[in-house]
Amino acid sequence: MYQVRNILIIFFISTPLFALDTDSNATLNIVADSGVYNFKTGVDMYEGHVQVDQGSTHVTADKLVTKKNHQHKIREATAYGIQTLAHFWTQPTVNQPEIHAHATTIKLYPLEMNVSLEHNVALSQGENHFQGELIHYNSKDQIITLPASSNGHARLVYNPDKS
């Protein structure tokens, strides 16, 4: 296993989630305490103080696993909050407040423009807040789904004047 303190990997993602249109052309930077970049399988793993940045889009996590397609574009990125919740934030448009998401597990599907937030989920944008154990968001269609949970109710606080 290849281990390096503060590994830095730079490559491109084809489509950002939620983010400004300019983010898709920005370089994707991943910094972590250690990492394994497997060109052959397309599955990469980064551990310890993971920081991902691409334009106005950012992720922090304890662990990140990415899976690429045959064109070497990330089709799935899973951020794990082991010690602290994983955090995803981005600027959706120039005039809107940032979106912040915290969860134990954050699964990003950039090619489909989907994200799934699992366990201890809190999603906010300005005055609007969503909470639950599972939240799915499709940024292309702008649909947020909060399925029923056995651990409690999904909660939505929406202020249309402050969105």
Side-chain angles (χ1 to χ4, degrees), residues 9 40 59 107 127 153 158-159:
I9 303 293
K40 186 175 180 179
V59 175
K107 295 181 179 179
E127 301 274 332
H153 299 286
Y158 179 70
N159 185 340

Side-chain angles (χ1 to χ4, degrees), residues 52-119:
V52 181
D53 300 296
Q54 185 182 28
S56 70
T57 301
H58 313 278
V59 175
T60 58
D62 298 312
K63 180 179 177 180
L64 176 73
V65 177
T66 63
K67 297 177 183 177
K68 295 185 284 301
N69 63 17
H70 295 300
Q71 291 82 33
H72 302 286
K73 295 184 185 205
I74 295 177
R75 61 178 173 81
E76 179 181 330
T78 305
Y80 297 96
I82 300 165
Q83 301 292 324
T84 59
L85 295 176
H87 182 197
F88 168 85
W89 70 100
T90 192
Q91 180 76 41
T93 64
V94 174
N95 297 322
Q96 289 185 337
E98 285 185 330
I99 294 172
H100 286 268
H102 293 84
T104 301
T105 305
I106 300 174
K107 295 181 179 179
L108 304 158
Y109 303 93
L111 300 176
E112 291 87 20
M113 299 179 72
N114 290 319
V115 63
S116 289
L117 307 162
E118 301 174 2
H119 310 294

